[in-house]
Amino acid sequence: MTASTIRRPAAARTRLAAAGAIAVAGALLLTACGDQTEKGGTESSGSAAPLFSKLPKDIQSSKVVKVGSDIAYPPVEFKEGGKTVGIDPDLADAMGKQLGVRFEFQNGTFDTLLTGMRSGRYQIAMSAMTDTKDRQNGVDPESGKKVFEGVDFVDYFNAGVSIYTKKGKTKGIATWEDLCGKKVVVQRGTVAHDLAKGQAKKCGKQKLSIEAFDTDVEAQTRLRAGGADAGASDFPVAAYAVKTSGGGKDFELVGEQVEAAPYGIAVGKKNTELRDALKAALEAVVENGEYDKIMKKWGVEEGATKEIKLNSGS
């Protein structure tokens, strides 16, 4: 399925929590549910690693990069057998070999990740997070006001948004307009949620009903049980659900993916040394072929990039 080149509107972003909510989430951070530390990953080879010297001194000392991630988003990051697995953890392991450090994934709700990074809980956020100008500039997309200092992104993947239905029960759904008069399930705070809300305003008397969940897995469960007509999420997530749920018998993709945009690793604006080290590590992973192996392993070659860029989102 070919990704659309439709330009992503400011208020609609993949796995996007409004920047305003991010700005006020500090008080909630201490009570964020289910925070866990993943101790696995690549063992550090320290200063013997080719890019170790590019890291900030504090990370050279600890040999650990603390990663904030919403670990409930297969195949990007999720738990399997008690271990954090997926595209992002595999890329982090490959980068760790280049940098001589271990990437320690810590689980948190998506809309608190940037706040957690700002408070020092995490040094980076790596969680299928879309690189956007609003996030770069710290702007609330709904109010247009600057609410925090913003972040830099090291971009490493491209993804659009897809609609999926129960297999054999598409009910004529192929576009967002076809959802009018029906019910769609989404993960709360994502681009799919924003697109659904935008489409609902256009549907008029043919009301579009939206049910939002904390995780995409919960949305899939609701659709599987017959509680909705369709679901919508990032293409790699939707494609993975279609491939794996019920052995491939539960869901099917419908129509084209839209809103193609880059995923990026978020790094604090002032932490340029770490940002540049991560970029160099990803470039090395692309060059040595590990990147392509990871994309193929998870069946997401369509979203692969050949060039690691900084702040390429719009």
Side-chain angles (χ1 to χ4, degrees):
M1 196 175 295
T2 302
S4 167
T5 56
I6 295 174
R7 189 174 185 277
R8 185 173 295 244
R13 308 298 186 198
T14 307
R15 301 192 81 185
L16 173 62
I22 293 170
V24 300
L28 298 176
L29 185 62
L30 295 177
T31 57
C33 63
D35 228 18
Q36 290 183 333
T37 298
E38 174 59 51
K39 296 294 185 182
T42 302
E43 289 298 322
S44 167
S45 57
S47 58
L51 299 177
F52 183 78
S53 63
K54 287 184 173 291
L55 289 165
K57 295 300 182 183
D58 61 329
I59 294 179
Q60 288 185 20
S61 177
S62 69
K63 296 185 176 61
V64 172
V65 177
K66 295 180 180 179
V67 185
S69 189
D70 182 1
I71 309 174
Y73 210 59
V76 187
E77 55 264 316
F78 62 106
K79 290 285 187 179
E80 186 174 76
K83 183 180 179 181
T84 299
V85 298
I87 299 166
D88 283 353
D90 281 357
L91 285 173
D93 279 352
M95 286 190 291
K97 294 174 184 177
Q98 298 297 320
L99 293 166
V101 297
R102 176 167 52 86
F103 285 73
E104 184 178 276
F105 279 73
Q106 300 184 19
N107 192 26
T109 53
F110 185 76
D111 58 358
T112 65
L113 296 183
L114 294 186
T115 303
M117 192 174 72
R118 292 168 62 205
S119 72
R121 175 171 288 194
Y122 322 122
Q123 289 156 317
I124 65 174
M126 190 174 185
S127 189
M129 184 174 288
T130 299
D131 174 0
T132 72
K133 292 297 183 186
D134 286 337
R135 281 193 174 125
Q136 292 171 28
N137 298 324
V139 172
D140 180 345
E142 295 188 6
S143 69
K145 296 180 179 180
K146 188 175 180 68
V147 292
F148 73 112
E149 69 274 15
V151 295
D152 282 335
F153 285 97
V154 183
D155 298 330
Y156 63 95
F157 189 78
N158 291 293
V161 180
S162 292
I163 300 172
Y164 59 101
T165 67
K166 292 191 71 174
K167 195 161 189 174
K169 297 181 180 180
T170 65
K171 300 184 180 181
I173 299 170
T175 68
W176 284 89
E177 289 76 14
D178 297 331
L179 291 174
C180 293
K182 297 180 174 63
K183 183 176 183 178
V184 65
V185 288
V186 296
Q187 181 181 358
R188 187 175 292 106
T190 62
V191 64
H193 193 187
D194 287 340
L195 285 172
K197 288 186 286 187
Q199 185 59 47
K201 294 178 181 178
K202 302 175 185 177
C203 286
K205 293 182 179 180
Q206 282 190 302
K207 183 180 178 182
L208 167 58
S209 178
I210 304 167
E211 190 169 3
F213 295 85
D214 287 338
T215 71
D216 203 78
V217 172
E218 291 173 324
Q220 292 171 23
T221 299
R222 180 67 164 166
L223 177 60
R224 190 184 301 111
D229 300 298
S233 62
D234 288 6
F235 169 73
V237 177
Y240 187 80
V242 167
K243 180 180 179 180
T244 61
S245 182
K249 296 179 180 179
D250 288 344
F251 304 127
E252 65 178 280
L253 292 170
V254 294
E256 297 282 331
Q257 60 169 308
V258 299
E259 301 294 324
Y263 284 171
I265 302 173
V267 188
K269 283 285 188 185
K270 297 179 181 179
N271 206 348
T272 56
E273 196 173 9
L274 176 57
R275 179 200 67 193
D276 293 344
L278 294 173
K279 183 174 185 290
L282 277 170
E283 288 171 340
V285 170
V286 169
E287 185 175 348
N288 68 17
E290 284 297 309
Y291 179 91
D292 285 340
K293 290 179 182 178
I294 293 167
M295 298 299 110
K296 185 175 181 180
K297 172 184 175 180
W298 294 104
V300 294
E301 299 97 319
E302 185 172 337
T305 182
K306 293 300 182 183
E307 184 179 2
I308 304 301
K309 298 180 179 180
L310 297 177
N311 298 324
S312 65
S314 59

